[in-house]
Amino acid sequence: MTNFTYSAAALERLQNSDDEIFNALMREEVRQSEGIELIPSENYCFPEVYALLGSVFNNKYSEGYPGRRYYGGQENTDAVETLARERAKKVFRAEHANVQCLSGCPMNEAVYFALLQPGDTVMGMDLTHGGHLSHGHPVTNMSKIFKFVRYKTEIPSGLIDLEKVRQVALENKPKLIVCGHSSYPREYDYAGFRKIADEVGALLMADISHLGGLVAGGALENPLDFGFDVVTTTTHKSLRGPRGGMILCKKKYASAIDKSVFPGMQGGPHMHQVAALATTLKLVQTDMYKAYAKQVLANAQALAKALLSGGAHLVTGGTENHLIVINTATGFGITGDIAEKALDRVGITLNKNVIPDDPNPPMKPSGIRFGTPAATSRGMRESDMKELADIMIQVLRAPGDDALLTNLHQKTRDLCKRYPVPGLEGI
Ligand code: DSN
């Protein structure tokens, strides 16, 4: 227990009152320190975020918005939420920002309810081709309310063909088109999507949850610069903030969006999250963060290149953002679940993932997905990515070789020791 992420007094009380949870927390700190986190949606938050998440803002109910609340005692929460909104507008060049969303799915659902009527058609990317659950997968509640139609990537390139997207839009005349993904390793053609939306008279939304920090840091394009009506992003991925979601939109949708979040979807916002987001949005304006955003992409390029030369089959043949998907079935003759387990065994955490038109089921898919935001937060650079790729290739070639895995586990531990997790230095 040598970190500075919590107050020592609070931690001591936790240890005395609930040793089971305290011990789980200590074990998780060690797991996060001694392993390499490659899940592309995960990251290490700024240490300042811990201070606010563990603060008295947790205690406050603040239904409403700054200056118009249903409970008293809001002088500090009003100040905090106003700062969060103004900073979000500045960072993303948005006309309006709602910073109260508890997480990604309710954030997107709030947009659908703000802009659509039950039964309206929404066009989003197919989950198995890189889209997200909240873009209308049939298992979600929102799919019972709205009619979702899908565009897909092309086989075998794995790339989006904009003309095919246009055809789906012309056939279905959606009221809303959603750009965005959780496993598409390429940049979106935002200008092209804007044209399609204009042609069919649809509203246009981008869910940049994975990319939020890279857009904030100026490393990737901002869909709001291409006239998108609404942009959503979670706040804990590449952005390095607290868990949560935020909606950025044109002024003309501000009132509908705000009403849809509260009281439409949620009651009291989590003000400790909002405060931590406000600070995050200050930190992402620094030169240091801008350099971080660029390094995330440089690291992804270096990792992709080294994996390719080690024989990995990359979906789309490479990456233009922070994430990489590889087909382990064709490249190494193993399914993604086996690859995930073997890599976990050497301290590398990533997730099994379906590939476009995967012949295998989601729990035994053909691929794995990983990315560089968290490793970059530790300070790792291109040469470390080469080292990492070398370990990964050895594991993927011999996932059942216990002696080799034990040896490689020591290598990842050594690499991790050189790059402490921000906020967990000394562990
Ligand atoms: N769970 C996130 C991801 O891994 O992409 C998205 O919600």
Side-chain angles (χ1 to χ4, degrees), residues 39 41 132 182 210 237 369:
I39 293 175
S41 48
H132 188 251
S182 58
H210 266 254
K237 296 187 173 90
R369 178 192 75 150

Side-chain angles (χ1 to χ4, degrees), residues 220-393:
L220 289 179
E221 288 180 329
N222 180 354
L224 286 171
D225 294 338
F226 293 83
F228 274 54
D229 298 292
V230 180
V231 169
T232 59
T233 180
T234 48
T235 52
H236 47 278
K237 296 187 173 90
S238 51
L239 200 67
R240 300 189 61 192
R243 298 193 85 90
M246 137 172 102
I247 303 173
L248 308 151
C249 65
K250 289 183 176 165
K251 207 174 187 122
K252 61 180 166 183
Y253 305 116
S255 163
I257 292 285
D258 283 353
K259 279 190 195 138
S260 184
V261 173
F262 171 83
M265 294 271 310
Q266 300 179 182
H270 293 178
M271 292 314 297
H272 57 318
Q273 256 177 261
V274 173
L277 175 58
T279 294
T280 300
L281 289 166
K282 181 168 186 186
L283 296 172
V284 299
Q285 294 180 50
T286 58
D287 288 343
M288 206 192 276
Y289 185 82
K290 287 174 190 156
Y292 161 77
K294 284 198 183 73
Q295 190 62 47
V296 169
L297 298 191
N299 282 352
Q301 287 294 328
L303 187 56
K305 200 170 151 211
L307 288 167
L308 271 171
S309 50
H313 293 179
L314 273 64
V315 173
T316 80
T319 179
E320 290 166 348
N321 55 31
H322 65 302
L323 72 81
I324 296 165
V325 180
I326 70 177
N327 187 333
T328 52
T330 55
F332 301 97
I334 55 172
T335 47
D337 54 312
I338 291 172
E340 179 193 292
K341 275 205 192 78
L343 287 159
D344 220 3
R345 168 88 173 64
V346 304
I348 295 175
T349 313
L350 44 64
N351 65 277
K352 57 184 167 294
N353 214 81
V354 288
I355 57 158
D357 278 0
D358 203 325
N360 291 318
M363 292 306 277
K364 275 189 103 36
S366 300
I368 51 176
R369 178 192 75 150
F370 47 96
T372 51
T376 310
S377 294
R378 292 177 92 136
M380 291 185 190
R381 301 181 72 89
E382 287 93 326
S383 57
D384 306 303
M385 294 301 109
K386 283 188 197 134
E387 213 173 305
L388 189 53
D390 180 56
I391 298 172
M392 290 173 76
I393 293 288

Side-chain angles (χ1 to χ4, degrees), residues 55-63 69-78 268-272:
S55 74
V56 294
F57 281 122
N58 176 68
N59 304 336
K60 191 73 195 103
Y61 260 121
S62 305
E63 279 99 330
R69 306 274 194 192
Y70 288 82
Y71 294 21
Q74 306 289 351
E75 57 272 34
N76 302 311
T77 45
D78 272 6
H270 293 178
M271 292 314 297
H272 57 318

Side-chain angles (χ1 to χ4, degrees), residues 36-107:
I36 299 184
E37 185 52 71
L38 288 187
I39 293 175
S41 48
E42 293 188 16
N43 209 336
Y44 307 109
C45 65
F46 292 113
E48 290 87 337
V49 167
Y50 292 120
L52 289 157
L53 289 181
S55 74
V56 294
F57 281 122
N58 176 68
N59 304 336
K60 191 73 195 103
Y61 260 121
S62 305
E63 279 99 330
Y65 289 99
R68 217 178 120 70
R69 306 274 194 192
Y70 288 82
Y71 294 21
Q74 306 289 351
E75 57 272 34
N76 302 311
T77 45
D78 272 6
V80 158
E81 187 171 346
T82 301
L83 277 170
R85 293 205 298 199
E86 291 308 314
R87 288 174 183 171
K89 282 160 61 180
K90 181 173 173 207
V91 167
F92 290 96
R93 299 181 287 286
E95 291 176 12
H96 179 73
N98 185 303
V99 294
Q100 292 194 359
C101 303
L102 302 182
S103 202
C105 289
M107 161 189 88

